Amino acid sequence: AGLCLLAIIGCDSGNIPGYASFDATAAAARWNREGRVWGEVELRVLENGRLLYRRNCAGCHLLSGEGQATVGAPRLKGSAVVKGPVAAHIDIALQGRSSMPPFANVLDDKQLAAILSYQRNEWGNNSGEVVSAAEVKAQRSGSP
């Protein structure tokens, strides 16, 4: 179902194998805003997160981040979890919560970091930060 969704909405950038190459100009146009200009590495993380979100999360949380109460998927747009401490956000992604399955054995640290970075900066959440793979790895391994 995720691949069908991608075929409908399109994939215009990112580093996921099988998808179009990264377009720094398009990424900058999508993500840069007054007070926050992203570097190329950060733009790659956000774009990969955007594509990975569409593949792994949008089926329940929707492309708009509005969520679907009928399947137990809360809204991510303006969410206290998404806008709150990174550690809590990472924990939910790794362990799952209520109807959301855990992604610890599905996605690697870099992929989870990209998705969380995307969520924390999309739909007006605008944290202005990216989650690092090292943060996810440390939490996955139980390190402080």
Side-chain angles (χ1 to χ4, degrees):
L3 292 177
C4 292
L5 179 62
L6 286 173
I8 294 168
I9 58 177
C11 293
D12 58 350
S13 61
N15 295 327
I16 299 172
Y19 294 96
S21 63
F22 176 72
D23 180 343
T25 303
R30 181 176 292 114
W31 292 103
N32 289 344
R33 60 186 181 274
E34 186 176 335
R36 184 57 164 109
V37 176
W38 300 92
E40 184 175 333
V41 171
E42 296 167 319
L43 290 170
R44 285 179 185 273
V45 169
L46 293 169
E47 285 297 287
N48 281 335
R50 184 172 67 89
L51 296 176
L52 287 162
Y53 174 86
R54 289 175 179 211
R55 286 169 111 185
N56 295 280
C57 312
C60 295
H61 293 285
L62 304 178
L63 290 174
S64 65
E66 294 290 342
Q68 296 183 84
T70 57
V71 297
R75 68 185 277 133
L76 301 176
K77 179 180 183 177
S79 161
V81 170
V82 174
K83 296 180 92 167
V86 173
H89 197 185
I90 293 171
D91 186 59
I92 291 170
L94 289 171
Q95 306 302 320
R97 178 189 264 182
S98 54
S99 65
M100 182 179 138
F103 282 86
N105 295 321
V106 177
L107 299 168
D108 67 26
D109 298 336
K110 187 175 178 181
Q111 291 169 322
L112 280 172
I115 290 171
L116 298 176
S117 296
Y118 169 77
Q119 292 174 357
R120 296 175 78 80
N121 287 286
E122 183 64 304
W123 314 298
N125 291 334
N126 301 337
S127 77
E129 300 173 348
V130 295
V131 178
S132 73
E135 288 175 285
V136 176
K137 180 178 181 177
Q139 198 151 333
R140 185 189 298 264
S141 68
S143 300

